[in-house]
Amino acid sequence: MEKQVFIFDTTLRDGEQVPGCKLNTKEKVALALQLELLGVDVIEAGFPISSPGDFESVSEIAKIIKDATVCGLTRAVQKDIEVAGAALKGARRPRIHTGIGTSDFHIKAKFNTSREEILRRSVQAVKWARQFTDDVEFFAEDAGRTDNDYLAQVVEAVIAAGATVVNIPDTTGYCLPEQYGAKIAFLMNKVPNIDKAILSCHCHNDLGMATANSISGVINGARQIECTINGIGERAGNTSLEEVVMVLKQHKDLGLFTRIKTPMLNPMSRLVSETMRVPVQPNKAIVGANAFSHSSGIHQDGFLKDAQTYEIISPEEVGAEGSKIVLTARSGRSALAYRFQKLGYDFTRDDIDVLYEQFLAVADRQKEVEEENLHELAKAHKVATVAAH
Ligand code: KIV
Ligand code: ZN
């Protein structure tokens, strides 16, 4: 039987931490409503103690969201947890996401303490959070670089204290997919009470492996992926929601599914990009402007014969505008004929042979040959043909 992977969207928390991406309450509420329509299971709405504005945003989102779980982030600090509890008061499904660094880097450099003390604070934080809600997620920050035996002890202890989800963040984006997957498999096998909670993947993209690591995590037993629209987030960003969702949809053999309505992916990407004023790179998978553009002659010829030769996803499936045949100096005759036909010109093969030489002269002068150039070429060709007769 297929298993569900829960999608935990952190666009409004980890994504909003990006310099220049800060949102006001109205913008956050508007995005949260769209995220719910998209079908995300959990919306991480913010970090309530961080500012009065973020407290208000989490509180407003908590009141308005009906189906999705609304989550607030805290440190393993009692005051943080109390403030998050208050912000989430109106939520139908409130979740507190609390945690602390568990790698030796964090234990020594950040907290100047011991593994035993971090274990104690972890358990205490979960117990405090359980006073406000039954849905408590614990994050073991920098789990990617945490010793696996110690991580297993922390995971066991926080589950015993009442955590229902345990987040295994690769905070620095350091892990290789095999390493991250092996870490999840190790926890699934070694933690005696692992059946009482689910493991969550929260992978950063510092080495460009966030999506691969998250997929490796769910292949090895994790049941939640934390991600953002367009992959925005601290430094090089988070796992991109649209990528993991489409990986699972394409690879049905994995037996994993999400509830995301994929035709909303492109509109959602545009909305986040416009609201946060962060452009999407053109070659971004699924939502980039070139994700369904074909520009070389070899690809265009194959695509025009059968789209599946060069497209594994149809643009409609992810709400993109449609496939594009872009004309450049690398394009071939079939692409040129196709574009003329789309503009309503009915040229013969011989016409196209002549036009193609003229087209190449234009294409060598500019990056892309536009519609107006095609009209000019067609007009000049007709004049020349009439004159020749
Ligand atoms: O990257 C990280 O470790 C985080 C935690 C706060 C979950 O964002
Ligand atoms: Zn993060």
Side-chain angles (χ1 to χ4, degrees):
M1 211 185 55
E2 282 208 315
K3 290 185 181 134
Q4 181 173 357
V5 171
F6 297 100
I7 295 295
F8 175 115
D9 181 276
T10 184
T11 306
L12 303 181
R13 199 278 297 169
D14 213 321
E16 204 235 13
Q17 287 171 207
V18 174
C21 283
K22 202 203 146 302
L23 302 173
N24 60 37
T25 297
K26 203 166 152 224
E27 290 167 325
K28 274 195 154 190
V29 168
L31 287 180
L33 288 168
Q34 288 305 308
L35 287 168
E36 181 167 49
L37 288 177
L38 178 68
V40 308
D41 300 289
V42 185
I43 298 171
E44 187 162 50
F47 184 7
I49 201 158
S50 65
S51 75
D54 220 30
F55 180 93
E56 184 193 47
S57 298
V58 175
S59 170
E60 291 306 312
I61 291 170
K63 284 185 225 150
I64 208 160
I65 292 298
K66 295 190 179 67
D67 295 325
T69 294
V70 178
C71 176
L73 184 80
T74 82
R75 293 167 296 182
V77 171
Q78 190 167 14
K79 183 75 188 154
D80 279 32
I81 295 169
E82 285 167 3
V83 170
L88 291 166
K89 217 160 162 202
R92 294 197 190 183
R93 298 173 205 270
R95 176 180 295 180
I96 292 180
H97 187 192
T98 188
I100 197 163
T102 53
S103 68
D104 289 335
F105 293 103
H106 282 232
I107 296 174
K108 296 277 168 262
K110 203 164 133 183
F111 300 111
N112 188 25
T113 186
S114 62
R115 288 185 174 185
E116 293 69 32
E117 173 60 11
I118 291 293
L119 190 65
R120 192 195 65 74
R121 290 196 211 171
S122 303
V123 167
Q124 179 62 74
V126 171
K127 288 186 176 161
W128 283 325
R130 281 297 298 245
Q131 291 171 1
F132 296 94
T133 171
D134 291 343
D135 188 354
V136 173
E137 173 167 339
F138 177 82
F139 67 84
E141 196 179 7
D142 204 16
R145 294 186 300 170
T146 299
D147 168 67
N148 281 349
D149 288 311
Y150 175 61
L151 186 61
Q153 273 181 46
V154 173
V155 173
E156 182 181 352
V158 295
I159 294 174
T164 42
V165 181
V166 186
N167 179 7
I168 310 298
D170 183 21
T171 305
T172 57
Y174 170 76
C175 289
L176 292 168
E178 287 76 11
Q179 282 175 325
Y180 189 75
K183 194 173 276 287
I184 298 291
F186 179 85
L187 296 172
M188 293 298 291
N189 292 326
K190 282 279 153 66
V191 175
N193 54 359
I194 198 71
D195 58 315
K196 306 273 185 314
I198 64 165
L199 292 182
S200 180
C201 311
H202 178 112
C203 299
H204 278 267
N205 206 29
D206 300 66
L207 292 172
M209 292 190 291
T211 295
N213 283 343
S214 299
I215 295 298
S216 183
V218 292
I219 288 174
N220 283 284
R223 283 292 160 267
Q224 178 177 277
I225 295 179
E226 308 195 2
C227 45
T228 60
I229 303 292
N230 300 333
I232 57 166
E234 282 275 356
R235 306 181 307 281
N238 281 74
T239 300
S240 134
L241 181 148
E242 53 280 2
E243 291 176 14
V244 286
V245 165
M246 290 314 293
V247 170
L248 298 182
K249 200 164 179 211
Q250 285 287 306
H251 289 270
K252 296 230 167 10
D253 48 308
L254 295 176
L256 300 168
F257 72 96
T258 72
R259 288 193 321 118
I260 297 299
K261 298 185 187 80
T262 62
M264 282 186 66
L265 288 173
N266 268 271
M268 190 75 219
S269 159
R270 276 197 299 276
L271 181 67
V272 168
S273 164
E274 281 160 21
T275 313
M276 290 189 159
R277 291 165 287 279
V278 178
V280 177
Q281 73 193 63
N283 58 323
K284 170 82 181 60
I286 321 295
V287 293
N290 292 345
F292 297 96
S293 291
H294 306 275
S295 67
S296 88
I298 298 173
H299 289 214
Q300 291 172 331
D301 184 50
F303 172 80
L304 289 170
K305 287 175 177 146
D306 180 345
Q308 288 188 64
T309 51
Y310 287 99
E311 275 185 359
I312 57 165
I313 299 168
S314 76
E316 302 78 55
E317 198 180 343
V318 292
E321 260 176 30
S323 307
K324 284 188 220 121
I325 294 288
V326 180
L327 294 178
T328 70
R330 307 291 156 261
S331 301
R333 285 177 175 72
S334 45
L336 183 64
Y338 169 81
R339 286 286 303 273
F340 272 130
Q341 208 181 7
K342 288 213 92 179
L343 291 175
Y345 296 105
D346 189 18
F347 289 126
T348 63
R349 263 189 110 103
D350 290 343
D351 287 327
I352 293 294
D353 280 343
V354 175
L355 279 160
Y356 186 65
E357 299 309 317
Q358 294 156 2
F359 156 78
L360 283 182
V362 180
D364 268 337
R365 283 199 302 272
Q366 56 196 56
K367 284 187 193 299
E368 197 179 322
V369 177
E370 309 285 354
E371 240 173 65
E372 69 208 56
N373 303 124
L374 295 180
H375 285 304
E376 280 158 18
L377 285 172
K379 204 165 142 197
H381 181 68
K382 281 195 176 150
V383 171
T385 314
V386 171
H389 283 94

